[in-house]
Amino acid sequence: MCGIVAYAGVRAATPILLQGLRKLEYRGYDSAGIAIHRKDGIKIYKQEGKVSNLVDSLGDYQHDPDHEQAHVGIAHTRWATHGPPTTANAHPHPAGNGRIALVHNGIIENYRGLKAKLAAEGHIFLSDTDSEVLAHLVDHYYEGDLLEAITKALKEVDGTYGIACICEDEPGKLIVARKGSPIVIGLGDGETIVASDASAIISHTRQAIYLDDNDIAVIEDGKVDIRTLDSSPVQRDIADIDWSADAAEKGGYEHYMLKEIFEQPEAIRNAIRGRVDAERGTAVLSGLGLTPRELVEFHRLLIVGCGTSLNAGLVGEYAVEDFAAMLGEVEQAAEFRYRNPIVGSKDLVVAISQSGETADTLAAVREAIDKGAMVAGLVNVVGSTIARETGRGIYLHAGPEISVASTKAFTCQVSVLLMIALKLARGRRMSLQNGRSIAQKILNIPSLVERVLAKNDEIAKVAEHFVKFENMFYIGRGYMFPVALEGALKIKEISYIHAEAYNAAELKHGPIALLDENMPVVALMNKGPGQEKTVGNVEECRARKAPVLGVITEGDDEAREACDWVIEIPECPHFIATIVATTALQLFSYHVARLRGCSIDQPRNLAKSVTVE
């Protein structure tokens, strides 16, 4: 959830740390801070609010000669878990009268007991956080060897962590470690840049090492020494980051979210490039590492995910059952991990996570592996934990997604799930002719999305009518129900309008009681199975004076007459319309939020990459 940046090298640390914090602000923006190892000791600067507040508070200090000669430092931007977003709760946390400074992502579950023990020994705590307890625990064990102290401390904590730590008595040394919270080490020329996300290091290097759980890395003099908690040396592969620094910039757009919405045609092309065999009417998914014979032996496709990824999974469930006549099932990852799910060797489990680090989804992966299922990851980040632990899967190749509200990840996830469904179907009873037809429709997705994006100005005008509302319903049937869920999620994420999504048939079973002129309904009523039923549901809404926005097929005059306002999308099969209609609703949500003056890329209480429960 939070963002870590650390540096050890030949350049001044402060500007590199501040630049990295700006890149990671989408992971947390409640407070920010840096600690640098100067000649006169470790100096900590932190501030409540956004990174810009920290930069302003530093003022001319960041250009002080002592700062410019400080070549080692750590930094953090926080998404609050334990304790409110205050300067006192901001990282880095000092301990031992300032001789140790530490930043931490994750949650220390047994921090209360540790805090009580340390307080009894005379440690004084200045914050409400669990992270400060870890800093004091390191200080408790410190006897001149920082690595030994951190190793002992980490063996005593329960929970998750990604940490970076420096010590006044060991200048030039930076130590980082991880368990359940990502740490990537960028390798430069005589320098090392550490971060919780590659976006903070890409402008410096494309060579990176991704730590595994229970790894500790000692960084000094341009060298990286990686060990386990048992002090055994280990080697980790050096990976190439396959996207440029420009991909993580706004590129002239007002917000990252708008940029990423408009990147979707190219992102989807990248996701499907080389993976659709139109001649054979199938998909080429070599990352799964499964033969056609192995694929046909699975009885069920089980999809696990959270949030937007869960909504994408629902589309995958429908497609697998429609195309392949195979049982599809979607599980919320947090529920999967805490019960005793029925899963085994005849199940193919697909774990969906944009970051590849989502804590609940990763735990579901481990549970499925332990129960003997074949598990594959559907992620967007090369080298992420889910990708490494599954050892098989499909990368989205969507490029970095900076905005907290996911857009292109969803449409790429659905595109890949459609290819998985096609692959499974062709291994069963789907004919070559039908396979070719579906393959061509998948190839056409980017051009259909481009046609929706061309309606941006029209959608912005429609959005003007919804700025005043504080509640909304979204309804859809079949494939359009997951779209309704995703549409409602987007509008509440970035505009703070309370929105609920229902299968259109469920309206009459309770929710209809809330309909009046102050409860607008967004209805997915494009052409396809069940459309006439949805139109009937819309008539029920209008009879109760509820304003209706219809997402309809271009030229469908009958559907238009049933609505107060419409957004038109190109005619296409329902399984493709899931992507096309979602793109339209992304634009709608964006413009509503913009007109309401909301913080679109950094919505309140949210952050990217949920690596805590």
Side-chain angles (χ1 to χ4, degrees):
M1 247 337 175
C2 308
I4 285 176
V5 188
Y7 177 80
V10 295
R11 290 188 284 168
T14 300
I16 295 171
L17 296 175
L18 293 176
Q19 179 193 43
L21 288 180
R22 292 187 187 97
K23 298 291 187 183
L24 292 183
E25 196 162 22
Y26 67 97
R27 293 178 65 96
Y29 35 86
D30 292 333
S31 61
I34 64 170
I36 57 171
H37 200 305
R38 306 191 339 170
K39 289 181 178 179
D40 54 350
I42 293 175
K43 301 297 180 183
I44 295 177
Y45 307 86
K46 50 189 183 179
Q47 195 71 29
E48 177 183 343
K50 297 186 177 182
V51 173
S52 59
N53 293 354
L54 173 65
V55 174
D56 291 343
S57 71
L58 281 168
D60 293 335
Y61 286 114
Q62 58 187 302
H63 305 297
D64 185 279
D66 285 337
H67 268 54
E68 293 177 354
Q69 294 173 21
H71 303 303
V72 176
I74 58 178
H76 189 272
T77 178
R78 180 174 184 251
W79 183 81
T81 55
H82 294 67
T86 63
T87 300
N89 288 332
H91 299 222
H93 289 294
N97 294 319
R99 71 175 175 178
I100 285 172
L102 178 142
V103 293
H104 165 241
N105 289 351
I107 291 179
I108 306 302
E109 296 173 356
N110 61 334
Y111 83 98
R112 289 185 178 88
L114 293 171
K115 186 173 185 177
K117 183 181 75 171
L118 292 166
E121 295 176 2
H123 288 260
I124 298 173
F125 294 89
L126 305 176
S127 78
D128 305 312
T129 69
D130 57 330
S131 304
E132 187 188 10
V133 174
L134 183 53
H136 281 269
L137 191 60
V138 171
D139 176 62
H140 168 77
Y141 284 117
Y142 186 72
E143 295 179 348
D145 187 329
L146 185 59
L147 175 61
E148 182 180 358
I150 291 176
T151 300
K152 288 180 177 178
L154 294 180
K155 286 182 177 179
E156 200 167 333
V157 301
D158 297 327
T160 59
Y161 55 79
I163 66 166
C165 186
I166 56 177
C167 178
E168 193 172 274
D169 298 338
E170 301 183 48
K173 182 179 290 185
L174 166 67
I175 296 183
V176 299
R178 76 152 282 171
K179 180 183 178 183
S181 190
I183 292 289
V184 56
I185 301 173
L187 307 176
D189 184 9
E191 63 182 4
T192 307
I193 306 100
V194 174
S196 49
D197 188 284
S199 60
I201 69 173
I202 187 62
S203 60
H204 304 287
T205 179
R206 295 201 183 183
Q207 299 288 296
I209 297 172
Y210 293 85
L211 293 188
D212 283 355
D213 278 356
N214 299 312
D215 281 354
I216 303 178
V218 181
I219 298 164
E220 191 173 18
D221 297 329
K223 298 177 181 178
V224 179
D225 178 17
I226 305 175
R227 298 177 177 273
T228 67
L229 274 180
D230 296 322
S231 299
S232 301
V234 293
Q235 293 289 327
R236 300 297 178 212
D237 293 336
I238 298 175
D240 290 320
I241 302 172
D242 63 354
W243 44 271
S244 68
D246 290 342
E249 301 294 338
K250 289 183 182 177
Y253 288 89
E254 185 176 356
H255 297 96
Y256 281 112
M257 182 179 179
L258 186 62
K259 171 179 178 278
E260 289 161 10
I261 291 172
F262 273 84
E263 286 177 340
Q264 286 178 118
E266 187 60 27
I268 295 168
R269 286 189 183 98
N270 290 337
I272 64 179
R273 183 176 287 118
R275 290 171 168 166
V276 176
D277 187 334
E279 179 63 27
R280 294 171 59 204
T282 189
V284 181
L285 305 175
S286 56
L288 289 178
L290 297 168
T291 66
R293 184 180 183 87
E294 289 171 325
L295 284 170
V296 79
E297 289 178 348
F298 290 116
H299 292 173
R300 177 176 65 158
L301 178 70
L302 177 59
I303 300 171
V304 294
C306 302
T308 284
S309 296
L310 184 67
N311 295 337
L314 288 170
V315 179
E317 175 190 4
Y318 294 176
V320 164
E321 293 187 349
D322 274 358
F323 296 0
M326 176 182 178
L327 179 62
E329 190 173 341
V330 178
E331 287 264 9
Q332 209 285 336
E335 289 296 310
F336 187 90
R337 70 180 296 191
Y338 284 121
R339 63 187 190 86
N340 188 22
I342 299 174
V343 59
S345 61
K346 295 300 183 181
D347 295 314
L348 174 60
V349 177
V350 174
I352 310 179
S353 167
Q354 188 280 141
S355 66
E357 303 288 350
T358 308
D360 288 321
T361 308
L362 178 57
V365 164
R366 291 168 176 166
E367 179 68 13
I369 290 173
D370 287 345
K371 289 187 178 297
M374 186 68 73
V375 184
L378 203 171
V379 303
N380 192 38
V381 180
V382 175
S384 60
T385 305
I386 290 175
R388 286 184 284 116
E389 293 205 8
T390 58
R392 68 180 73 243
I394 304 168
Y395 286 114
L396 298 181
H397 298 304
E401 190 177 65
I402 305 301
S403 177
V404 170
S406 182
T407 53
K408 61 180 179 177
F410 175 87
T411 51
C412 287
Q413 286 167 352
V414 173
S415 298
V416 172
L417 287 166
L418 293 177
M419 290 188 289
I420 291 174
L422 175 59
K423 180 73 172 177
L424 291 168
R426 286 288 285 127
R428 286 170 165 75
R429 290 290 298 158
M430 179 174 281
S431 68
L432 172 63
Q433 182 178 2
N434 287 341
R436 285 175 173 172
S437 175
I438 291 174
Q440 190 57 56
K441 289 176 172 62
I442 293 173
L443 291 171
N444 289 341
I445 293 173
S447 61
L448 292 170
V449 172
E450 286 172 340
R451 288 172 61 181
V452 172
L453 296 175
K455 298 176 182 289
N456 179 51
D457 291 344
E458 298 173 31
I459 294 172
K461 291 185 180 300
V462 171
E464 294 174 1
H465 300 285
F466 292 82
V467 175
K468 64 181 180 180
F469 294 110
E470 296 300 329
N471 299 281
M472 296 178 70
F473 279 173
Y474 281 66
I475 61 172
R477 289 173 180 261
Y479 279 100
M480 292 297 105
F481 174 54
V483 176
L485 289 169
E486 180 62 13
L489 178 59
K490 284 295 155 286
I491 198 77
K492 70 179 99 177
E493 277 183 321
I494 63 169
S495 75
Y496 317 139
I497 294 173
H498 172 244
E500 299 293 340
Y502 295 97
N503 185 296
E506 280 296 306
L507 268 183
K508 65 178 71 70
H509 296 288
I512 199 168
L514 296 175
L515 292 182
D516 61 19
E517 64 274 12
N518 295 313
M519 181 65 79
V521 177
V522 178
L524 283 304
M525 48 194 299
N526 45 301
K527 289 182 179 178
Q531 185 205 27
E532 69 285 355
K533 298 292 186 182
T534 305
V535 171
N537 297 135
V538 165
E539 294 292 354
E540 294 170 347
C541 296
R542 296 190 70 185
R544 288 154 181 83
K545 300 183 179 179
V548 175
L549 167 61
V551 177
I552 69 171
T553 303
E554 290 174 341
D556 188 344
D557 293 335
E558 182 178 348
R560 177 186 291 272
E561 290 176 3
C563 306
D564 297 289
W565 306 279
V566 297
I567 296 174
E568 292 186 310
I569 64 171
E571 186 167 359
C572 53
H574 255 30
F575 61 88
I576 300 295
T578 55
I579 294 172
V580 181
T582 296
T583 303
L585 292 180
Q586 290 168 353
L587 286 172
F588 172 71
S589 297
Y590 170 81
H591 288 297
V592 171
R594 177 182 58 82
L595 293 167
R596 285 167 65 93
C598 299
S599 179
I600 292 174
D601 286 329
Q602 299 172 343
R604 67 190 183 203
N605 301 329
L606 296 176
K608 198 76 169 178
S609 183
V610 184
T611 55
V612 296
E613 292 187 58

Short mmCIF file of all heavy atoms in Angstrom, two decimals, residues 341-367:
data_model
loop_
_atom_site.label_atom_id
_atom_site.label_comp_id
_atom_site.label_asym_id
_atom_site.label_seq_id
_atom_site.Cartn_x
_atom_site.Cartn_y
_atom_site.Cartn_z
N PRO A 341 -11.54 -24.29 1.10
CA PRO A 341 -12.18 -24.44 -0.22
C PRO A 341 -11.97 -25.84 -0.80
O PRO A 341 -10.96 -26.50 -0.54
CB PRO A 341 -11.47 -23.39 -1.07
CG PRO A 341 -10.13 -23.24 -0.42
CD PRO A 341 -10.37 -23.39 1.04
N ILE A 342 -12.96 -26.25 -1.56
CA ILE A 342 -12.86 -27.53 -2.26
C ILE A 342 -12.13 -27.28 -3.58
O ILE A 342 -12.68 -26.70 -4.52
CB ILE A 342 -14.25 -28.13 -2.52
CG1 ILE A 342 -14.97 -28.39 -1.19
CG2 ILE A 342 -14.14 -29.42 -3.33
CD1 ILE A 342 -16.40 -28.83 -1.34
N VAL A 343 -10.90 -27.68 -3.64
CA VAL A 343 -10.07 -27.45 -4.82
C VAL A 343 -9.01 -28.54 -4.86
O VAL A 343 -8.53 -29.01 -3.83
CB VAL A 343 -9.42 -26.05 -4.78
CG1 VAL A 343 -8.56 -25.88 -3.55
CG2 VAL A 343 -8.61 -25.75 -6.03
N GLY A 344 -8.67 -28.98 -6.09
CA GLY A 344 -7.71 -30.07 -6.19
C GLY A 344 -7.08 -30.17 -7.57
O GLY A 344 -7.08 -29.21 -8.34
N SER A 345 -6.60 -31.34 -7.90
CA SER A 345 -5.77 -31.54 -9.09
C SER A 345 -6.53 -31.37 -10.40
O SER A 345 -5.91 -31.19 -11.45
CB SER A 345 -5.11 -32.92 -9.05
OG SER A 345 -6.10 -33.93 -9.02
N LYS A 346 -7.85 -31.45 -10.36
CA LYS A 346 -8.64 -31.30 -11.58
C LYS A 346 -9.07 -29.84 -11.81
O LYS A 346 -9.86 -29.57 -12.71
CB LYS A 346 -9.87 -32.20 -11.53
CG LYS A 346 -9.54 -33.69 -11.52
CD LYS A 346 -8.78 -34.10 -12.77
CE LYS A 346 -8.51 -35.59 -12.80
NZ LYS A 346 -7.75 -36.00 -14.01
N ASP A 347 -8.55 -28.93 -10.99
CA ASP A 347 -8.90 -27.52 -11.10
C ASP A 347 -7.73 -26.72 -11.65
O ASP A 347 -6.57 -26.91 -11.23
CB ASP A 347 -9.27 -26.93 -9.74
CG ASP A 347 -10.53 -27.55 -9.16
OD1 ASP A 347 -11.51 -27.68 -9.91
OD2 ASP A 347 -10.52 -27.92 -7.98
N LEU A 348 -8.02 -25.84 -12.59
CA LEU A 348 -7.06 -24.83 -13.02
C LEU A 348 -7.46 -23.53 -12.34
O LEU A 348 -8.55 -23.00 -12.57
CB LEU A 348 -7.10 -24.65 -14.54
CG LEU A 348 -6.24 -23.50 -15.10
CD1 LEU A 348 -4.76 -23.70 -14.75
CD2 LEU A 348 -6.42 -23.39 -16.63
N VAL A 349 -6.59 -23.03 -11.47
CA VAL A 349 -6.86 -21.81 -10.72
C VAL A 349 -6.10 -20.65 -11.37
O VAL A 349 -4.89 -20.73 -11.57
CB VAL A 349 -6.43 -21.95 -9.25
CG1 VAL A 349 -6.66 -20.64 -8.49
CG2 VAL A 349 -7.21 -23.08 -8.58
N VAL A 350 -6.82 -19.60 -11.73
CA VAL A 350 -6.21 -18.40 -12.31
C VAL A 350 -6.33 -17.28 -11.29
O VAL A 350 -7.45 -16.90 -10.91
CB VAL A 350 -6.88 -18.01 -13.64
CG1 VAL A 350 -6.32 -16.67 -14.13
CG2 VAL A 350 -6.65 -19.09 -14.69
N ALA A 351 -5.19 -16.77 -10.84
CA ALA A 351 -5.16 -15.68 -9.87
C ALA A 351 -4.92 -14.38 -10.61
O ALA A 351 -3.91 -14.24 -11.32
CB ALA A 351 -4.05 -15.92 -8.86
N ILE A 352 -5.85 -13.43 -10.45
CA ILE A 352 -5.77 -12.16 -11.19
C ILE A 352 -5.37 -11.04 -10.24
O ILE A 352 -6.00 -10.83 -9.21
CB ILE A 352 -7.12 -11.81 -11.85
CG1 ILE A 352 -7.67 -13.00 -12.65
CG2 ILE A 352 -6.96 -10.61 -12.77
CD1 ILE A 352 -9.00 -12.72 -13.31
N SER A 353 -4.32 -10.32 -10.61
CA SER A 353 -3.85 -9.18 -9.82
C SER A 353 -3.02 -8.28 -10.72
O SER A 353 -2.03 -8.73 -11.29
CB SER A 353 -3.01 -9.65 -8.62
OG SER A 353 -2.30 -8.59 -8.03
N GLN A 354 -3.41 -7.02 -10.85
CA GLN A 354 -2.65 -6.10 -11.67
C GLN A 354 -1.20 -6.04 -11.21
O GLN A 354 -0.27 -6.18 -11.99
CB GLN A 354 -3.29 -4.71 -11.63
CG GLN A 354 -2.70 -3.71 -12.62
CD GLN A 354 -1.40 -3.06 -12.17
OE1 GLN A 354 -0.48 -2.85 -12.98
NE2 GLN A 354 -1.28 -2.75 -10.90
N SER A 355 -1.01 -5.83 -9.91
CA SER A 355 0.34 -5.66 -9.36
C SER A 355 1.07 -6.98 -9.20
O SER A 355 2.30 -7.01 -9.17
CB SER A 355 0.27 -4.98 -8.00
OG SER A 355 -0.37 -5.81 -7.05
N GLY A 356 0.33 -8.08 -9.07
CA GLY A 356 0.95 -9.36 -8.76
C GLY A 356 1.40 -9.46 -7.32
O GLY A 356 2.10 -10.40 -6.95
N GLU A 357 0.94 -8.51 -6.49
CA GLU A 357 1.35 -8.47 -5.08
C GLU A 357 0.16 -8.42 -4.13
O GLU A 357 0.36 -8.34 -2.91
CB GLU A 357 2.25 -7.26 -4.83
CG GLU A 357 3.49 -7.18 -5.69
CD GLU A 357 4.54 -8.22 -5.31
OE1 GLU A 357 4.38 -8.88 -4.27
OE2 GLU A 357 5.53 -8.37 -6.07
N THR A 358 -1.07 -8.43 -4.62
CA THR A 358 -2.24 -8.30 -3.77
C THR A 358 -2.23 -9.39 -2.70
O THR A 358 -2.21 -10.58 -3.00
CB THR A 358 -3.53 -8.40 -4.61
OG1 THR A 358 -3.45 -7.48 -5.69
CG2 THR A 358 -4.75 -8.10 -3.77
N ALA A 359 -2.24 -8.96 -1.43
CA ALA A 359 -1.99 -9.89 -0.32
C ALA A 359 -3.00 -11.03 -0.28
O ALA A 359 -2.63 -12.21 -0.14
CB ALA A 359 -2.00 -9.12 1.00
N ASP A 360 -4.29 -10.72 -0.39
CA ASP A 360 -5.31 -11.76 -0.32
C ASP A 360 -5.21 -12.73 -1.49
O ASP A 360 -5.40 -13.95 -1.34
CB ASP A 360 -6.70 -11.13 -0.29
CG ASP A 360 -6.99 -10.46 1.04
OD1 ASP A 360 -6.61 -11.02 2.08
OD2 ASP A 360 -7.60 -9.37 1.05
N THR A 361 -4.91 -12.20 -2.67
CA THR A 361 -4.80 -13.06 -3.85
C THR A 361 -3.57 -13.95 -3.76
O THR A 361 -3.61 -15.14 -4.12
CB THR A 361 -4.76 -12.21 -5.13
OG1 THR A 361 -5.87 -11.30 -5.13
CG2 THR A 361 -4.84 -13.08 -6.38
N LEU A 362 -2.49 -13.41 -3.26
CA LEU A 362 -1.28 -14.22 -3.07
C LEU A 362 -1.53 -15.34 -2.06
O LEU A 362 -1.09 -16.49 -2.27
CB LEU A 362 -0.13 -13.33 -2.59
CG LEU A 362 1.20 -14.01 -2.30
CD1 LEU A 362 1.71 -14.77 -3.52
CD2 LEU A 362 2.23 -12.99 -1.84
N ALA A 363 -2.24 -15.04 -0.99
CA ALA A 363 -2.57 -16.08 -0.01
C ALA A 363 -3.46 -17.15 -0.64
O ALA A 363 -3.31 -18.35 -0.34
CB ALA A 363 -3.25 -15.46 1.20
N ALA A 364 -4.38 -16.75 -1.50
CA ALA A 364 -5.23 -17.72 -2.20
C ALA A 364 -4.41 -18.61 -3.11
O ALA A 364 -4.66 -19.82 -3.22
CB ALA A 364 -6.32 -16.99 -2.99
N VAL A 365 -3.42 -18.03 -3.78
CA VAL A 365 -2.51 -18.81 -4.63
C VAL A 365 -1.83 -19.90 -3.81
O VAL A 365 -1.77 -21.07 -4.21
CB VAL A 365 -1.46 -17.87 -5.27
CG1 VAL A 365 -0.28 -18.68 -5.82
CG2 VAL A 365 -2.09 -17.04 -6.38
N ARG A 366 -1.30 -19.51 -2.66
CA ARG A 366 -0.57 -20.48 -1.83
C ARG A 366 -1.50 -21.58 -1.32
O ARG A 366 -1.10 -22.75 -1.25
CB ARG A 366 0.10 -19.73 -0.68
CG ARG A 366 1.24 -18.85 -1.17
CD ARG A 366 1.73 -17.87 -0.11
NE ARG A 366 2.89 -17.12 -0.60
CZ ARG A 366 3.37 -16.03 -0.02
NH1 ARG A 366 2.80 -15.55 1.07
NH2 ARG A 366 4.42 -15.41 -0.52
N GLU A 367 -2.73 -21.23 -0.98
CA GLU A 367 -3.69 -22.23 -0.52
C GLU A 367 -4.03 -23.22 -1.64
O GLU A 367 -4.10 -24.43 -1.42
CB GLU A 367 -4.96 -21.54 -0.01
CG GLU A 367 -6.05 -22.48 0.48
CD GLU A 367 -5.70 -23.21 1.76
OE1 GLU A 367 -4.70 -22.84 2.42
OE2 GLU A 367 -6.41 -24.18 2.10
#
